[in-house]
Coordinates of all heavy atoms in Angstrom, one line a residue:
S1257 N 70.9 197.4 72.4 CA 70.3 197.8 73.7 C 68.9 198.5 73.5 O 68.2 198.6 74.5 CB 71.2 198.8 74.4 OG 71.3 200.0 73.7
I1271 N 51.8 202.7 57.6 CA 53.3 203.0 57.5 C 53.5 204.2 56.7 O 53.1 204.3 55.5 CB 54.1 201.8 56.9 CG1 53.9 200.6 57.9 CG2 55.5 202.2 56.7 CD1 54.4 199.3 57.3
I1319 N 65.5 207.3 55.0 CA 65.3 207.1 53.5 C 65.7 208.4 52.8 O 65.2 209.5 53.1 CB 63.8 206.8 53.2 CG1 63.3 205.6 54.0 CG2 63.6 206.5 51.7 CD1 61.8 205.3 53.9
E1352 N 63.8 210.2 37.5 CA 64.0 209.0 38.3 C 64.9 209.3 39.5 O 65.8 210.2 39.4 CB 64.7 207.9 37.3 CG 63.7 207.4 36.3 CD 64.3 206.4 35.4 OE1 65.4 205.9 35.6 OE2 63.6 206.1 34.4
L1361 N 70.3 206.3 64.9 CA 69.9 206.2 66.4 C 70.0 207.6 66.9 O 71.1 208.3 66.8 CB 70.9 205.3 67.1 CG 70.8 203.8 66.6 CD1 72.1 203.1 67.1 CD2 69.6 203.1 67.2
Y1365 N 72.3 210.8 66.4 CA 72.3 210.5 64.9 C 73.5 209.6 64.6 O 74.1 209.7 63.6 CB 72.5 211.8 64.1 CG 71.2 212.7 64.2 CD1 71.1 213.7 65.2 CD2 70.1 212.6 63.4 CE1 70.0 214.5 65.4 CE2 69.0 213.4 63.5 CZ 68.9 214.3 64.5 OH 67.8 215.1 64.7
D1419 N 7.6 201.4 16.9 CA 7.7 201.0 15.5 C 7.2 202.0 14.5 O 6.0 202.1 14.2 CB 7.0 199.6 15.3 CG 7.3 199.0 13.9 OD1 8.1 199.6 13.2 OD2 6.9 197.9 13.6
T1482 N 30.2 205.2 17.9 CA 31.0 204.5 19.0 C 30.5 203.0 19.0 O 31.0 202.2 19.8 CB 30.7 205.0 20.4 OG1 29.3 204.8 20.7 CG2 31.0 206.5 20.5
T1484 N 30.5 199.3 17.6 CA 31.3 198.4 16.9 C 30.9 197.0 17.3 O 30.0 196.8 18.1 CB 32.9 198.6 17.1 OG1 33.1 198.2 18.5 CG2 33.3 200.0 16.9
A1511 N 19.0 196.5 16.4 CA 18.4 195.7 15.3 C 17.0 196.2 15.0 O 16.5 196.2 13.8 CB 18.4 194.3 15.6
T1527 N 32.3 209.2 25.6 CA 32.3 210.3 26.5 C 33.6 210.2 27.4 O 34.3 211.2 27.6 CB 31.1 210.2 27.5 OG1 29.9 210.2 26.6 CG2 31.0 211.4 28.4
F1583 N 43.2 233.2 60.1 CA 43.9 231.9 59.9 C 45.4 232.0 59.8 O 46.1 231.1 60.3 CB 43.3 231.2 58.6 CG 42.0 230.5 58.9 CD1 40.8 231.2 58.9 CD2 42.0 229.2 59.2 CE1 39.6 230.6 59.2 CE2 40.8 228.5 59.5 CZ 39.6 229.2 59.5
V1628 N 62.0 225.4 40.6 CA 62.9 224.2 40.4 C 63.8 224.4 39.2 O 63.5 225.3 38.4 CB 62.0 222.9 40.2 CG1 61.2 222.6 41.4 CG2 61.0 223.1 39.0
F1743 N 22.1 241.3 20.5 CA 22.8 240.0 20.4 C 21.7 238.9 20.1 O 22.0 238.0 19.3 CB 23.6 239.7 21.7 CG 24.0 238.2 21.8 CD1 24.9 237.7 20.8 CD2 23.5 237.4 22.8 CE1 25.3 236.4 20.9 CE2 23.9 236.1 22.9 CZ 24.8 235.6 21.9
S1931 N 16.5 207.2 64.7 CA 17.9 206.9 64.8 C 18.7 207.6 63.7 O 19.9 208.1 63.9 CB 18.2 205.4 64.7 OG 17.8 204.9 63.4
R1947 N 15.2 216.5 60.0 CA 13.9 215.8 59.6 C 13.5 216.2 58.2 O 13.1 215.3 57.4 CB 12.8 216.2 60.6 CG 13.0 215.5 62.0 CD 11.8 215.8 62.9 NE 12.0 215.2 64.2 CZ 11.9 213.9 64.4 NH1 11.4 213.1 63.5 NH2 12.1 213.4 65.6
S1953 N 15.0 213.2 51.1 CA 15.9 212.3 50.5 C 15.4 210.8 50.7 O 16.2 209.9 50.6 CB 17.3 212.5 51.0 OG 17.3 212.5 52.4
K2034 N 50.5 226.4 40.3 CA 51.0 227.5 39.6 C 50.6 228.8 40.3 O 49.4 229.0 40.6 CB 50.4 227.6 38.1 CG 50.8 226.3 37.3 CD 50.0 226.2 36.1 CE 50.1 224.8 35.4 NZ 49.5 223.8 36.2
P2042 N 39.8 238.3 36.6 CA 38.4 238.1 36.2 C 37.4 238.5 37.4 O 36.7 237.6 37.9 CB 38.3 236.7 35.8 CG 39.3 236.0 36.6 CD 40.4 237.0 36.9
N2055 N 38.8 248.9 58.6 CA 38.7 249.5 59.9 C 38.4 251.0 59.7 O 39.3 251.7 59.2 CB 39.9 249.3 60.8 CG 40.0 247.8 61.1 OD1 39.0 247.1 61.4 ND2 41.2 247.3 61.0

Side-chain angles (χ1 to χ4, degrees):
S1257 70
I1271 296 166
I1319 305 174
E1352 289 178 13
L1361 298 161
Y1365 295 88
D1419 190 358
T1482 67
T1484 64
T1527 305
F1583 276 85
V1628 293
F1743 168 64
S1931 66
R1947 286 185 183 280
S1953 52
K2034 301 168 190 71
N2055 292 320

